Amino acid sequence: MKREGGMSFSFSLPVTVVTLAIAFVYFSTVFIFIDRWFGLTSSPGLIHSSLFTALALMCVSNYAASVFTDPGRVPPKYLPEIEDARSPIHEIKRKGGDLRYCQKCSLYKPPRAHHCRVCKRCVLRMDHHCIWINNCVGHANYKKFFIFVVYAVTACIYSLVLLLGSLVNDSQTEDEQIGDSSRTAYVISGLLLIPLSITLSILLGWHIYLVLHNKTTIEYYEGVRAMWLAEKGGHIYKHPYDLGPFDNLTAVLGQNIFCWLCPTTKHIGSGLRFRTSFDNASGDI
């Protein structure tokens, strides 16, 4: 099987675990929690099951897009345009001041690109390598990964609310007993949903912070060091790609607010050049 962009995809245990977890949460939520609380044939049951199904479909589609989309690769003939007036920033090595060059790929690195030791190649606007999608999170799939986390957090919290409501409803219905299989589903779902909701909420909060500052995870940690060095030299460090909260949001999610939670990526550009705080022109590059 191949990813979009030509990358091959092999079996991954973490991806299988995530897929099974999504399936388990969906079937438990719809066919146990909603069914026992409202009944699937009732109006509230139909509404909740339809909403949760739509949420699950968006979650699955964005997860699949994160897994199968190539995060972005450096063109084999890429050369930095040193004299290009539209590129006010050229990232250089920490030592020596030369342009960033990957010895392993034998290619110059575009701005914000980094070499992934797992994928064994340079990735455009690399954020991190995620074992749970068996892929790097980079330029071409960052938005898909981000909105997958948004939908996953929403689905987990929604399912947890339905679980608690179903339990309360069952406890108030004296003549209805919970079967062993249902009881097991409640226990497993609770043990799964509570840590998932907490962990994914923390992850979402972290990436909201990164999006609002137009940073990647790698750039955040590089920025901590750069800030320390700047303060040591009596200077003030500013992240060069920080365009302001709204422009940072649109740089990642797109100009159309109605498409922010859809896996659209026409706005992201080539990934070889990015707007900076030094640019006067607006719009995508």
Side-chain angles (χ1 to χ4, degrees):
M1 191 176 296
K2 288 194 174 184
R3 288 192 173 104
E4 177 186 332
M7 288 179 63
S8 61
F9 177 81
S10 57
F11 172 79
S12 169
L13 180 60
V15 171
T16 303
V17 169
V18 172
T19 304
L20 291 174
I22 291 173
F24 177 80
V25 169
Y26 174 76
F27 284 103
S28 296
T29 302
V30 174
F31 297 105
I32 297 179
F33 309 154
I34 295 176
D35 188 30
R36 294 187 69 87
W37 189 0
F38 303 105
L40 289 178
T41 57
S42 67
S43 295
L46 286 172
I47 291 171
H48 281 290
S49 59
S50 298
L51 286 174
F52 195 79
T53 298
L55 193 58
L57 287 174
M58 291 303 294
C59 191
V60 169
S61 62
N62 282 284
Y63 180 70
S66 301
V67 172
F68 291 108
T69 300
D70 189 312
R73 58 180 65 236
V74 181
K77 296 183 180 180
Y78 170 77
L79 289 173
E81 300 175 3
I82 300 175
E83 297 181 358
D84 188 353
R86 294 176 300 168
S87 300
I89 289 180
H90 295 283
E91 296 180 0
I92 59 175
K93 295 180 180 179
R94 292 179 182 177
K95 296 180 180 179
D98 297 328
L99 290 173
R100 296 164 66 238
Y101 185 83
C102 181
Q103 299 292 341
K104 296 178 180 178
C105 296
S106 299
L107 291 170
Y108 282 100
K109 294 180 183 179
R112 315 183 83 177
H114 295 273
H115 187 87
C116 176
R117 289 177 293 180
V118 180
C119 297
K120 297 180 181 179
R121 67 183 180 88
C122 287
V123 175
L124 298 178
R125 196 188 178 275
M126 179 178 173
D127 187 90
H128 69 288
H129 185 90
C130 179
I131 64 168
W132 298 107
I133 65 170
N134 192 34
N135 196 7
C136 269
V137 178
H139 176 66
N141 67 345
Y142 182 81
K143 179 185 175 181
K144 298 170 184 178
F145 173 81
F146 178 78
I147 58 177
F148 158 67
V149 177
V150 172
Y151 284 118
V153 169
T154 307
C156 284
I157 294 175
Y158 190 9
S159 179
L160 198 55
V161 170
L162 291 170
L163 183 155
L164 294 173
S166 179
L167 279 176
V168 170
N169 180 69
D170 282 338
S171 66
Q172 294 175 346
T173 307
E174 297 179 359
D175 59 341
E176 191 170 357
Q177 300 296 322
I178 302 177
D180 291 338
S181 58
S182 297
R183 186 179 293 107
T184 302
Y186 278 114
V187 172
I188 295 176
S189 296
L191 292 175
L192 185 63
L193 287 170
I194 292 173
L196 265 182
S197 298
I198 295 171
T199 303
L200 289 173
S201 295
I202 293 172
L203 180 64
L204 177 60
W206 168 246
H207 280 281
I208 288 174
Y209 166 82
L210 292 177
V211 168
L212 290 175
H213 292 82
N214 203 356
K215 292 181 180 180
T216 64
T217 299
I218 294 173
E219 287 169 350
Y220 170 81
Y221 289 107
E222 288 181 341
V224 171
R225 183 178 184 276
M227 186 179 298
W228 177 78
L229 290 173
E231 290 178 353
K232 189 176 179 181
H235 304 289
I236 298 175
Y237 172 78
K238 176 175 172 56
H239 181 57
Y241 301 105
D242 188 350
L243 309 173
F246 183 75
D247 283 341
N248 291 340
L249 273 172
T250 57
V252 174
L253 302 179
Q255 295 287 338
N256 188 345
I257 192 171
F258 297 106
C259 293
W260 278 9
L261 293 180
C262 299
T264 54
T265 54
K266 292 182 179 180
H267 63 283
I268 62 175
S270 67
L272 302 177
R273 185 186 293 120
F274 297 90
R275 284 182 60 197
T276 72
S277 55
F278 303 101
D279 293 322
N280 294 322
S282 61
D284 295 319
I285 294 180

